[in-house]
Amino acid sequence: SITISTTVVGLTSKAKGHNYALITVETNGVRFWLSSTAPSATAGHVLEIGDVLELFGPELDTARFIRRDAADATIRVSYGKRQNNA
């Protein structure tokens, strides 16, 4: 689990050798960018409670998240190894 607050964060627990992440939003909305650009509460793609995001390869290193609303959000991340991005 990663708490998403007012400070931009990346994926903090990427396991060595994994090239895939499955992310679900547990509490409150978040915004994100995949380009290492810092999102803000008003800029970036939106993920709502229950949404799922799959990331592959370099996206695990470049993804950045911030909470969208007044309360912190929680995302859950599972890492794995995929043979391809299909």
Side-chain angles (χ1 to χ4, degrees):
S1 295
I2 301 174
T3 299
I4 309 298
S5 191
T6 58
T7 301
V8 174
V9 297
L11 298 178
T12 57
S13 301
K14 186 176 118 179
K16 184 177 180 180
H18 291 179
N19 65 354
Y20 170 77
L22 175 69
I23 300 168
T24 57
V25 180
E26 298 292 316
T27 62
N28 300 315
V30 299
R31 288 193 178 264
F32 74 97
W33 286 122
L34 297 178
S35 61
S36 294
T37 299
S40 71
T42 59
H45 300 286
V46 174
L47 291 173
E48 300 286 357
I49 295 171
D51 284 349
V52 176
L53 176 65
E54 293 181 288
L55 300 180
F56 298 92
E59 295 172 341
L60 276 69
D61 296 322
T62 61
R64 300 291 180 264
F65 301 85
I66 195 165
R67 76 180 193 196
R68 188 194 61 200
D69 301 316
D72 287 354
T74 301
I75 61 173
R76 302 236 192 265
V77 184
S78 293
Y79 298 98
K81 184 76 171 166
R82 291 281 173 109
Q83 294 302 318
N84 60 42
N85 293 351

